[in-house]
Amino acid sequence: MQRLAEAAMWLGALLVTIAPATAQETVAAGHSSLVYPGPEGKLVYVPDEQGNTIPDFSNCGYKGGGVRLPEVPVKVILEPAQGDAGARIQAALDQVAALPLDENGIRGAVLLKRGTYRIGGVLRLGASGVALRGEGQGEDGTVLLCTGKGQRTLLQVRGTGSPKELAGTRRQVTDSYVPVGARSFHVDSVEGFKVGDRVIVRRPSTAEWIHFIGMDRIPVPKGRTDVVQWTAGSKDLPFLRVITALEGNRVSVDAPLVNALQAEYGGGLLYRYEFGGRVSQVGIENLRGDSESAKPDDEDHGWNLVSLDSCEDCWVRDVTSVHFGYSCVNVGRWGTRSTIRDCTCLDPVSQITGGRRYSFALAGQLNLVLRCVARDGRHDFVMHAVVPGPNAFVDCSATRAHADTGPHHRWSTGTLYDNVSVEGNAINVQNRGASGTGHGWAGAQMVFWNCTAKSMDVQRPPTAQNWAIGCKAGTHKGSGFWESFGTPVEPRSLYLKQLEERLGPQAVANLAR
């Protein structure tokens, strides 16, 4: 019966997409029929038949969204000099890392004065509370020149390890269905839990679910032997959350779930975790990175300017990368609650093919990419595989794009593309089938809000939904939810409106340049 209901829902949504009577009425007023200001100006979220709503993305970003990035006091100042500066800069970072943390979790910053610093290796920021700051992201500012050969990350922000489940804390979600957008659910027991606990809400990927969405039988083109069918347990989604309330066996968490938990497909689990090696409060600021290369398609040189992983509440702001082969900023699976803002990725040097030029790439959750720009990339604002969201790209733009923007493969969930513009290529969320090594359904619960692109393909996977609202494109297709195509809706930015509503106008002001 559940599967019949899902099929009916899917067909119903498709019919709404073709002829949405209520949507047409609300579009005339410049609003979406799914999220719109109510009589008192507060956003109204309209659920579908199972209670799923467009999620609130405002928890994305530094310290859970809307918090001003800190002004870290300078502890060490370096001037440019002849020769390789890598060891000198690393020694300064290690010196600051040895200082005590203040009451805000900050140690201090290393300031690199204006000029060029040649670096033949990798700079590692592996302690909490340390920032690396320059004096400008232009060519006349602080330039870190990645020299020599070898694909590598120049600035590596990374702790150690990964979340570890605490023994004896595993609880089963007892609701038959927890909808997308929910912040609360019931478990079989809350014994041993308290408000403030850091928990994982784990959504399993059962064999039954994988079979239902067709990902255990991805069509394999003739002659291909590299297509990997999805298997049970390989696409589990571990949502990192904090308990905000306990009422009986009902648990409330700080940020919404962006994939439904269905008892039919394994429901969900709740457990506490520890992550002793995670670092926090690490920043990269106001500098430029350039990678030396031997020829226009050289691939034996700097690959990422900045990478973030095993970290929380970090930031990259006012940073430009030039000529790196892969990305300006790449966030790994355990990078969470970080803000990447006012950054630019220019003119990467690599072959123009798979696995290159992912200008701003996310694999973690609760991250915000704000006002970032890319030129000559491929997948410019992109989600990696099995990302448990939410994440948000807001007011970002790409020019001369060589491939599409969107989730790239294997069921990434809950990303907001808010006023994202892609010149010369597409914005897509689709079943990518045998692409790569069997990418299959790339994403679910993707929200494209007032976006523009050359073309858009927004498809709906079984058991999930994707939304395109207020978007413009030369051509568009797909079975997802379409509304107000060609005409932007209000609020202009869904993220900023959600943030203002949750935390007030000052939270929005905190994100200003």
Side-chain angles (χ1 to χ4, degrees):
M1 292 297 294
Q2 177 71 21
R3 294 185 182 182
L4 288 174
E6 287 173 354
M9 265 186 59
W10 198 5
L11 178 59
L14 181 59
L15 293 174
V16 168
T17 301
I18 297 170
T22 34
Q24 293 296 333
E25 293 170 7
T26 56
V27 165
H31 296 132
S32 168
S33 63
L34 299 186
V35 184
Y36 60 87
E40 297 181 359
K42 297 288 187 180
L43 290 175
V44 175
Y45 295 82
V46 179
D48 66 13
E49 295 89 339
Q50 291 181 296
N52 302 298
T53 62
I54 288 178
D56 181 350
F57 293 91
S58 67
N59 293 91
C60 296
Y62 174 74
K63 293 219 165 177
V67 177
R68 185 182 298 277
L69 298 181
E71 296 296 331
V72 179
V74 173
K75 300 297 183 179
V76 178
I77 299 175
L78 297 181
E79 299 276 356
Q82 295 296 316
D84 192 293
R88 197 159 52 97
I89 298 173
Q90 188 65 60
L93 292 169
D94 294 344
Q95 178 183 340
V96 174
L99 297 175
L101 292 167
D102 69 13
E103 65 276 10
N104 297 312
I106 297 294
R107 289 188 166 97
V110 173
L111 175 63
L112 303 180
K113 300 292 284 186
R114 194 178 305 273
T116 298
Y117 299 77
R118 298 177 64 84
I119 303 168
V122 175
L123 297 177
R124 293 179 172 87
L125 292 86
S128 296
V130 178
L132 180 63
R133 182 180 305 146
E135 290 193 323
Q137 61 179 314
E139 294 181 22
D140 60 347
T142 297
V143 179
L144 306 186
L145 185 60
C146 185
T147 62
K149 296 183 179 298
Q151 290 186 4
R152 64 190 189 275
T153 294
L154 186 61
L155 302 173
Q156 185 181 86
V157 177
R158 185 168 188 162
T160 59
S162 59
K164 302 299 181 185
E165 179 179 351
L166 290 175
T169 67
R170 181 172 289 206
R171 304 290 185 266
Q172 182 70 44
V173 174
T174 58
D175 303 274
S176 61
Y177 191 92
V178 179
V180 172
R183 292 177 184 260
S184 63
F185 48 87
H186 295 87
V187 294
D188 52 12
S189 171
V190 297
E191 183 180 356
F193 287 83
K194 64 182 183 303
V195 171
D197 279 348
R198 289 172 175 260
V199 296
I200 286 177
V201 183
R202 192 173 196 93
R203 189 264 187 185
S205 51
T206 63
E208 293 78 10
W209 173 72
I210 290 171
H211 183 74
F212 184 71
I213 68 171
M215 293 293 98
D216 57 353
R217 52 193 187 280
I218 299 170
V220 180
K222 186 177 180 180
R224 291 275 301 278
T225 60
D226 59 343
V227 176
V228 179
Q229 304 292 338
W230 296 11
T231 57
S234 66
K235 305 298 178 287
D236 289 9
L237 296 170
F239 298 103
L240 300 176
R241 298 293 186 266
V242 177
I243 293 179
T244 57
L246 293 170
E247 185 178 354
N249 283 354
R250 186 180 187 88
V251 179
S252 296
V253 293
D254 59 329
L257 302 180
V258 291
N259 202 102
L261 308 180
Q262 298 168 266
E264 180 180 7
Y265 299 124
L269 297 170
L270 174 75
Y271 52 86
R272 290 167 52 209
Y273 73 93
E274 60 182 10
F275 197 163
R278 180 165 56 187
V279 298
S280 64
Q281 302 269 61
V282 181
I284 309 291
E285 308 174 345
N286 204 28
L287 54 79
R288 185 182 189 90
D290 197 349
S291 178
E292 286 187 335
S293 52
K295 54 185 178 179
D297 61 352
D298 183 17
E299 302 207 321
D300 193 13
H301 66 102
W303 215 234
N304 302 289
L305 175 56
V306 181
S307 67
L308 307 174
D309 205 359
S310 295
C311 63
E312 179 182 65
D313 295 334
C314 296
W315 66 92
V316 183
R317 61 176 166 185
D318 301 307
V319 165
T320 292
S321 71
V322 189
H323 303 139
F324 285 81
Y326 191 80
S327 74
C328 177
V329 182
N330 186 26
V331 180
R333 180 167 179 76
W334 301 119
T336 183
R337 291 204 328 190
S338 292
T339 291
I340 298 99
R341 78 176 216 198
D342 302 307
C343 294
T344 304
C345 186
L346 298 176
D347 307 332
V349 173
S350 72
Q351 298 177 35
I352 302 178
T353 188
R356 285 89 166 160
R357 305 191 185 204
Y358 288 43
S359 306
F360 296 91
L362 302 181
Q365 56 190 289
L366 293 163
N367 298 294
L368 170 65
V369 180
L370 175 65
R371 298 188 300 266
C372 290
V373 174
R375 183 175 71 199
D376 251 352
R378 292 183 63 251
H379 303 298
D380 288 301
F381 305 105
V382 63
M383 306 306 302
H384 289 302
V386 201
V387 179
N391 290 283
F393 295 93
V394 180
D395 287 325
C396 295
S397 64
T399 57
R400 300 203 313 237
H402 296 278
D404 63 349
T405 271
H408 191 48
H409 60 128
R410 296 178 174 90
W411 207 262
S412 289
T413 59
T415 304
L416 172 63
Y417 288 84
D418 184 336
N419 288 272
V420 172
S421 171
V422 178
E423 177 189 288
N425 219 291
I427 295 176
N428 295 326
V429 53
Q430 56 191 320
N431 185 347
R432 303 192 71 239
S435 295
T437 56
H439 288 175
W441 278 109
Q445 285 72 249
M446 299 285 134
V447 180
F448 302 102
W449 185 274
N450 289 345
C451 293
T452 61
K454 181 179 180 181
S455 64
M456 294 185 69
D457 187 357
V458 177
Q459 300 176 10
R460 182 181 188 181
T463 74
Q465 181 59 283
N466 294 301
W467 300 270
I469 298 172
C471 297
K472 296 180 181 181
T475 60
H476 71 291
K477 61 180 179 178
S479 56
F481 181 90
W482 291 90
E483 185 175 58
S484 191
F485 180 76
T487 303
V489 296
E490 293 292 334
R492 185 199 70 83
S493 168
L494 180 61
Y495 175 84
L496 294 178
K497 178 61 177 176
Q498 289 176 328
L499 184 63
E500 179 185 44
E501 190 160 294
R502 185 169 65 88
L503 295 176
Q506 185 58 51
V508 176
N510 288 341
L511 301 183
R513 291 182 187 273

